[in-house]
Amino acid sequence: MNPYAKLTFSLSLMLGTTITVSSSHWMSAWAGLEINTLAIIPLISKSHHPRAIEAAIKYFLVQAAASTLLLFSSMINAWHTGQWDITQLSHPTSSLLLTTAIAMKLGLVPFHFWFP
């Protein structure tokens, strides 16, 4: 992999993490998580081995499903509270869905089988 491309993906990882941590709105937190997802996939599949490609595809599919759950959780919360603020997570269904989405993104048990 080109060193400049590797540097760009590494900087994108840092940017996505910074955006996610510093956000107070659900959409900006989601955008930061998606930047991280899109930056790590080329780094996973840089060796053109079939196992690396399989790991990148598994990573992408699980991260896409977890992002969908995160957006659905934030939509349910906004529907019930009327706010898109991260600190106003008070509805139990949205809390459960958010916890599930974060567990999938982190590869926690019982969602650890996909972890490359």
Side-chain angles (χ1 to χ4, degrees):
M1 177 178 275
N2 188 353
Y4 294 118
K6 196 171 187 179
L7 177 68
T8 302
F9 291 134
S10 299
L11 289 175
S12 295
L13 279 172
M14 289 189 288
L15 175 70
T17 303
T18 304
I19 288 172
T20 303
V21 170
S22 65
S23 64
S24 63
H25 193 273
W26 283 110
M27 289 304 192
S28 58
W30 173 77
L33 290 171
E34 290 304 308
I35 290 171
N36 279 343
T37 299
L38 293 175
I40 197 73
I41 288 174
L43 293 176
I44 290 174
S45 62
K46 71 179 176 180
S47 67
H48 296 288
H49 192 270
R51 289 194 185 254
I53 302 301
E54 178 187 358
I57 291 171
K58 284 181 183 179
Y59 183 83
F60 174 75
L61 291 175
V62 171
Q63 293 297 318
S67 291
T68 303
L69 275 178
L70 185 113
L71 287 175
F72 187 59
S73 167
S74 64
M75 185 181 66
I76 289 174
N77 188 53
W79 189 19
H80 286 286
T81 62
Q83 295 181 6
W84 286 89
D85 193 25
I86 287 179
T87 60
Q88 299 294 327
L89 187 66
S90 59
H91 195 263
T93 305
S94 62
S95 297
L96 178 69
L97 287 174
L98 179 70
T99 304
T100 304
I102 296 298
M104 284 175 72
K105 282 195 165 289
L106 292 174
L108 297 177
V109 174
F111 304 108
H112 66 287
F113 293 112
W114 68 268
F115 204 68

